[in-house]
Amino acid sequence: MARRKVTRGSPPRLARSRKRTWPTASGSAPRARVRRAGAGDGEDEKGNFLGVYFREMSSLEVLSPEKELALATRIFRLRQEFWKDLLSYPPFIDAIIALIESTIDSDDTPDNALSAMRETSRNLRDRETRANKDAFEEVRIKLAAAVAGSTSTPSSPT
């Protein structure tokens, strides 16, 4: 009785202890055994993996352009909210600005917004007036939008 040989990633095959040769009808010379395509070639196993991959991928649902746009705008809004919340505490503004300057490329860094943020946070810490709060809030929203829209925004400050 033949033993089953099971290998990872390929269908089970029967393993024989020795090669069999089949006698020809005339009985003189053994015929060469014809090998089926896909019977254990390394390339065919790779093809099987690709076939499985593409079969699985074809069963997945692809986003429509409207859904993709809606998700992208939601991600952008959430990034803006993240930076607005992060920049809402004036005593930590200097450290956060240092983080932004060290992680964002110099071409993408909004230098005017960063210097305005430093100044307005310092004014708000020194004297908490309505004018200073409004100026801080305005600069905070502009800086959050600029940092959220930059291409190399740090993922999370530490």
Side-chain angles (χ1 to χ4, degrees):
M1 178 172 228
R3 294 176 294 137
R4 285 192 116 183
K5 179 180 178 184
V6 179
T7 59
R8 178 186 285 176
S10 65
R13 289 182 274 159
L14 293 178
R16 292 191 165 54
S17 58
R18 62 182 174 89
K19 284 188 174 182
R20 292 186 185 229
T21 55
W22 302 97
T24 60
S26 63
S28 60
R31 233 175 17 180
R33 189 170 180 188
V34 178
R35 205 173 150 168
R36 284 189 340 230
D41 291 342
E43 293 177 20
D44 289 335
E45 288 177 7
K46 289 179 189 173
N48 285 341
F49 289 131
L50 284 176
V52 169
Y53 171 76
F54 285 124
R55 253 182 267 118
E56 289 178 5
M57 291 303 293
S58 68
S59 67
L60 296 176
E61 187 177 324
V62 180
L63 289 175
S64 68
E66 295 82 22
K67 285 183 181 179
E68 187 175 352
L69 180 64
L71 288 173
T73 54
R74 181 172 181 247
I75 289 170
F76 182 73
R77 279 193 218 119
L78 288 173
R79 287 177 77 178
Q80 279 185 329
E81 289 299 318
F82 169 78
W83 283 103
K84 281 182 198 175
D85 292 342
L86 191 65
L87 294 169
S88 66
Y89 190 57
F92 290 156
I93 293 297
D94 291 331
I96 294 169
I97 289 176
L99 172 77
I100 292 171
E101 289 174 337
S102 67
T103 55
I104 294 180
D105 296 333
S106 60
D107 298 337
D108 295 335
T109 306
D111 293 327
N112 294 337
L114 292 176
S115 61
M117 187 65 173
R118 275 193 182 113
E119 182 181 334
T120 57
S121 69
R122 191 174 311 116
N123 290 342
L124 185 60
R125 282 181 291 179
D126 292 344
R127 187 161 183 211
E128 193 168 323
T129 63
R130 188 66 172 159
N132 288 344
K133 281 183 185 179
D134 292 341
F136 176 77
E137 189 66 27
E138 181 181 332
V139 172
R140 180 176 74 106
I141 291 171
K142 286 181 184 176
L143 181 61
V147 174
S150 70
T151 57
S152 57
T153 303
S155 58
S156 62
T158 53

